[in-house]
Amino acid sequence: MLKRQNPSTPEHSKDLAADGGALSMSHNDSRSLLNLSQLVLSAGQIKPSPALKHSKITYFEVEIVDVQSKKQICIVDKVPPASTLLDVKHKFHKACPQWYPSRVGLQLERNGPFLKDSVSIQSLAVSSIITLYFTDLGQQVGWTTFFLTEYTGPLLIYLLFYIRLSTIYDQVESRKNFRHPVVHLACFCHCLHYIRHLLETLFVHKFSEGHTPLKNMIKGCAFYWGFTSWIAYYINHPRYTPPSFGHKQVSYAALAFLMCEAGNHFINVALAQQTNSGNRTCFPSPTYNPFTWLFLLVSCPNYTYEAGSWISFTVMTQTLPVGIFAFLMVIQMSLWAQKKHKLYLKRFYPEVRRKAAMIPIIF
């Protein structure tokens, strides 16, 4: 008779152990492969190490040399290509604290123009070492501070003469003599002119590269404040005589003054809107506002209106100091207009070539 084989025999136990071991090993391998796959998927795309990426960046060294002595002042190292000249000025200020950024003038050549703060360092590079020439521009003030100081002075100075302080005029003579209405009108127009300038400085004009030497502000204040004192002294003097042609001369001149002030304001607003919108590819065009139609004849109508204001004020008051001031202002604004006109010719030649700079010429 055949005997039933016992599954618990040693041979059978070995076979089961071998099969079970193979199954357990294949199961462990599958789990390990699954875990590795999940790790790769969770890690996402393999990125290069920061050290490798960082090593590909090229840095520049900027050598700062004194423009007069040609001696090296310092070297600004590890300047990234995307840096601007303003970034270099800040690093230069850290190395030399006595020169803050607005006081530093940098040139690519000794006799070349000063570089703007917005210039990219990479655009100046011929090699990894860039040499720039340093000039101390002196103490600087912001353009907003410059204009607020320059225009606030005439406003306050004129009012001091208008109230006829006892330290300026004889009080007995001031009480005895009657003030002609043109004196009050002149005070109103003068204050209106400078109040407009102050408000436009704060809310209309946008100043870039916003610094100028302090000495320029001192010269500007001396000019405006000095002439205002001279003008206000004569117009508000107790012995002031009214214009020769009386009420008509005053009325027409005052109307012309107000129109020029309004035109100047609307032109400044139009120029500011063009700057804010970023549309600098074409010359400013006149709008439905009649005061902007002067753009059809001249390239700098704001200077035209400014000159018209002072000429009208001269006719209205019929005073020699005002006439001298208006004459000097027309000359100065003509120079500014010619300079701007040349820039406009380079940028908007087809549109500007038939226009005058400041004084309309009708063919």
Side-chain angles (χ1 to χ4, degrees):
M1 294 179 60
L2 295 175
K3 293 182 180 179
R4 179 183 290 181
Q5 188 176 2
N6 190 354
S8 62
T9 58
E11 291 82 6
H12 188 71
S13 298
K14 288 180 182 180
D15 294 337
L16 289 176
D19 293 339
L23 289 173
S24 63
M25 287 179 63
S26 62
H27 182 66
N28 290 336
D29 291 342
S30 300
R31 292 184 60 185
S32 300
L33 182 61
L34 180 62
N35 292 336
L36 180 60
S37 302
Q38 290 177 348
L39 180 62
V40 171
L41 290 174
S42 62
Q45 186 179 0
I46 300 176
K47 297 181 180 179
S49 63
L52 181 61
K53 185 178 180 181
H54 184 72
S55 64
K56 293 182 180 179
I57 297 178
T58 302
Y59 290 100
F60 294 103
E61 289 186 357
V62 180
E63 180 188 22
I64 308 295
V65 179
D66 185 80
V67 71
Q68 299 294 335
S69 63
K70 299 182 182 180
K71 293 181 179 179
Q72 184 188 95
I73 300 176
C74 74
I75 292 180
V76 180
D77 57 353
K78 293 185 178 180
V79 179
S83 298
T84 61
L85 202 67
L86 183 60
D87 299 327
V88 174
K89 288 183 178 182
H90 282 292
K91 291 186 177 183
F92 178 57
H93 174 57
K94 290 182 180 179
C96 305
Q98 68 271 29
W99 291 309
Y100 50 90
S102 62
R103 188 168 182 163
V104 176
L106 296 177
Q107 303 160 275
L108 198 58
E109 299 175 357
R110 289 189 66 195
N111 297 324
F114 290 110
L115 300 172
K116 294 184 178 181
D117 290 345
S118 58
V119 172
S120 171
I121 290 297
Q122 194 169 12
S123 65
L124 304 175
V126 179
S127 64
S128 60
I129 300 177
I130 305 171
T131 300
L132 297 177
Y133 293 93
F134 161 76
T135 300
D136 183 8
L137 300 178
Q139 191 169 355
Q140 304 286 301
V141 294
W143 280 110
T144 302
T145 304
F146 176 91
F147 287 115
L148 290 178
T149 305
E150 193 174 67
Y151 296 143
T152 303
L155 179 64
L156 299 178
I157 290 171
Y158 196 98
L159 291 174
L160 291 177
F161 283 91
Y162 176 73
I163 62 177
R164 290 182 176 177
L165 294 176
S166 58
T167 55
I168 301 176
Y169 302 112
D170 180 71
Q171 292 299 301
V172 176
E173 194 174 16
S174 298
R175 295 191 192 96
K176 184 173 61 176
N177 292 340
F178 170 75
R179 288 197 189 194
H180 194 274
V182 70
V183 176
H184 305 292
L185 182 60
C187 180
F188 169 78
C189 291
H190 191 275
C191 293
L192 176 67
H193 177 78
Y194 284 102
I195 289 173
R196 178 184 64 79
H197 273 304
L198 290 171
L199 293 177
E200 287 178 352
T201 300
L202 292 174
F203 303 109
V204 177
H205 298 301
K206 302 295 180 183
F207 303 106
S208 59
E209 304 285 339
H211 294 89
T212 185
L214 178 63
K215 61 182 180 181
N216 288 350
M217 188 179 76
I218 295 175
K219 289 191 293 184
C221 289
F223 177 79
Y224 280 98
W225 295 15
F227 262 104
T228 300
S229 301
W230 191 24
I231 290 169
Y233 176 80
Y234 276 89
I235 295 177
N236 296 287
H237 198 281
R239 296 182 183 179
Y240 169 76
T241 54
S244 303
F245 297 96
H247 179 70
K248 286 186 177 180
Q249 179 178 342
V250 173
S251 299
Y252 291 142
L255 180 61
F257 177 88
L258 295 176
M259 290 180 64
C260 289
E261 287 294 302
N264 202 340
H265 172 70
F266 289 122
I267 292 295
N268 288 332
V269 170
L271 292 173
Q273 287 176 348
Q274 184 197 29
T275 302
N276 295 338
S277 63
N279 184 19
R280 299 186 180 184
T281 57
C282 58
F283 185 76
S285 57
T287 63
Y288 62 89
N289 189 335
F291 289 103
T292 64
W293 294 352
L294 201 55
F295 272 124
L296 297 172
L297 302 176
V298 298
S299 58
C300 302
N302 51 329
Y303 294 139
T304 308
Y305 282 124
E306 184 78 8
S309 293
W310 286 112
I311 293 173
S312 303
F313 194 77
T314 303
V315 175
M316 182 178 65
T317 58
Q318 196 174 310
T319 310
L320 179 62
V322 183
I324 296 175
F325 180 74
F327 176 73
L328 295 177
M329 288 294 291
V330 169
I331 293 176
Q332 180 62 73
M333 285 182 289
S334 300
L335 297 175
W336 288 341
Q338 288 292 337
K339 186 177 180 181
K340 273 194 173 183
H341 187 68
K342 290 179 180 178
L343 294 176
Y344 286 149
L345 283 174
K346 293 179 180 178
R347 294 172 56 190
F348 318 114
Y349 174 73
E351 301 171 83
V352 183
R353 65 189 179 93
R354 292 186 178 274
K355 302 179 190 297
M358 188 182 84
I359 301 174
I361 300 176
I362 302 175
F363 296 96

